[in-house]
Amino acid sequence: MDTAGALHYSSTSQDIKDVSELKHGEEFSQAERAALEGIVWRKLDIWILPLCAGFFFLSFLDRTNVSNARVAGLQTTLEMSNYQYTVAVTVTYLPYLAAEFPSAVLVKYVGPDLMLPTMVTLWGVVCASQGLVNGYSGLLACRFFLGLIEGGLVPGIVLYLSFFYPRKMLQIRVASFFVATSLSGAFSGLLAAAINLMNGICGKPGWAWIFILEGIFTFVFGAISFFLLPRSPEKARFLTEKERVYVISTLKNAGSVSEDDKNDGFSWTEVVRSVKSPHVWFLAVAFFFNGATLLGLAYFEPTIVAGLGYAGNQAQLLSVPPYAVTFVLSFISAKVSDRYQCRGYTVIFFSLLEVIGFTMFYASTSSRVRYGSLFCSVSGAYCAAPALITWMANNSAPHIRRATAVAVVFILSQMGGILATWLLGWLSPAPKYTSATITFIAMSVGIVVFATVNLVYLRRENRLKAEKRERMRKEEEPEGLGDRSAWFVYSL
């Protein structure tokens, strides 16, 4: 039965066995799966993805709107040098890094339904507070607490989605929330241009209203999400009991969650196993490079556009089209990657697109060509990221090993962002950004290299696992091996 046909089935169909029978471990029949397949994932997509995308959209918007505020006059009003502006951006990264690992570990035990909305609500207050500062020290304080509160959001969302979706379906869902970065890049320019028209209202400059209004909206969204975000498939009120059993059964069969919940408890042994895994470090290096290019563009793209000869609201508006194109490409690439299970090739393709974009920016003196190069570099950086994230989450199990791996790579990503901030903000003079552009070209090539190495390594591991499966039965294998089990096939 096709998906469209399955949507007409009711989850209470007589084709579906009584839930009490399923809890004893019986497999779903083909007819039962056909009846549930289209319904269950559609329900999860409707209830979960918009909230996760909203969280990430607001996170990126509230963290990077400082670049729009800079174009609107923040740096002039607070009498900041380029060095001081770079320090203000860097201050956000440091607590962000410190928060990622503990947040990734705690999200399952505190409960994502409490932890994620609390983070969103609190940083909304901090974001709005930036519009009330009168000096540089006040801005630094706000940027510090913004990073501290936001730090665990992205690892938290990635892990949260892995609680609900099997590995083969994860990238399109990760892309659905990660695409919010490109959407925030597009909307931040439009919103900043519109909000800047409030310049002078209540004695506040336009850049202050950018922080205040966007912070208030974040606070409201976070408060509402307390009542909407489900804790887990077992607690999802919009699913029937049969549908909950189906989701959990599918996750366990796919290796997305452990057969025994005890295997998902915290263990330093699992933390060590994660950091000793070669594929974690291959992707960690790729994340460092991708974090540098992506976050560099996120914080400085409006400034780069302004350096091409555009100013004020024109620069704000021209920062939008590269992100609009990226928004479309993100969905297309994620659909292809999920359909053909080609995480590594997706990373390589879009990293090569980055190489093209940064090379165009470096080699040309034409403002039009350099502006056009942003379509390649922004699309490459932003579309490679969801594939990298999903690739890591797919290939780490059980939960603590996955949480550790996700935290490690995101920490490296933010470290790359720190490097990019100093390259673009201080060490590489505008408008050519020569040193930064050369570095980004090398990093984009580096992503291709390490993604290729990881592909070769994982293919070799899968071959060895296949040989092992031929020599033994699953019952003969020790328990608790997680992704090292011969029956855990790595995603390529």
Side-chain angles (χ1 to χ4, degrees), residues 91 126 136-146:
V91 162
V126 176
Y136 179 59
S137 59
L139 180 65
L140 287 180
C142 287
R143 300 300 299 179
F144 176 87
F145 284 106
L146 189 67

Side-chain angles (χ1 to χ4, degrees), residues 128-310:
S129 299
Q130 293 176 102
L132 305 177
V133 302
N134 296 313
Y136 179 59
S137 59
L139 180 65
L140 287 180
C142 287
R143 300 300 299 179
F144 176 87
F145 284 106
L146 189 67
L148 182 65
I149 298 169
E150 278 194 35
L153 181 78
V154 181
I157 292 178
V158 173
L159 293 170
Y160 179 64
L161 291 178
S162 72
F163 299 161
F164 287 87
Y165 294 101
R167 294 190 296 153
K168 68 177 183 179
M169 301 172 65
L170 194 58
Q171 184 171 336
I172 188 66
R173 274 75 188 185
V174 170
S176 295
F177 88 79
F178 200 87
V179 77
T181 58
S182 55
L183 197 61
S184 70
F187 270 93
S188 62
L190 293 173
L191 287 172
I195 296 173
N196 197 38
L197 298 176
M198 297 177 65
N199 184 46
I201 294 179
C202 297
K204 292 289 181 185
W207 63 262
W209 284 112
I210 292 173
F211 290 130
I212 293 170
L213 293 184
E214 291 178 3
I216 290 173
F217 182 82
T218 298
F219 175 84
V220 173
F221 188 89
I224 293 173
S225 66
F226 276 107
F227 303 98
L228 300 176
L229 193 70
R231 185 183 185 96
S232 64
E234 295 94 330
K235 302 293 184 181
R237 290 172 295 179
F238 52 86
L239 295 177
T240 67
E241 192 169 5
K242 293 182 178 69
E243 290 166 351
R244 293 187 198 113
V245 172
Y246 174 73
V247 171
I248 296 165
S249 170
T250 302
L251 291 171
K252 289 184 176 181
N253 288 337
S256 298
V257 298
S258 298
E259 290 285 346
D260 187 346
D261 289 342
K262 293 180 181 178
N263 292 332
D264 283 341
F266 182 79
S267 165
W268 283 110
T269 300
E270 293 298 342
V271 173
V272 172
R273 285 175 178 170
S274 180
V275 298
K276 289 173 65 176
S277 299
H279 69 274
V280 170
W281 291 105
F282 295 148
L283 289 189
V285 176
F287 262 88
F288 175 79
F289 293 152
N290 181 258
T293 57
L294 188 153
L295 293 170
L297 290 167
Y299 278 106
F300 288 92
E301 195 248 10
T303 304
I304 292 170
V305 172
L308 298 177
Y310 308 102

Side-chain angles (χ1 to χ4, degrees), residues 382-393:
Y382 279 73
C383 292
L388 279 170
I389 295 168
T390 309
W391 206 9
M392 177 58 74

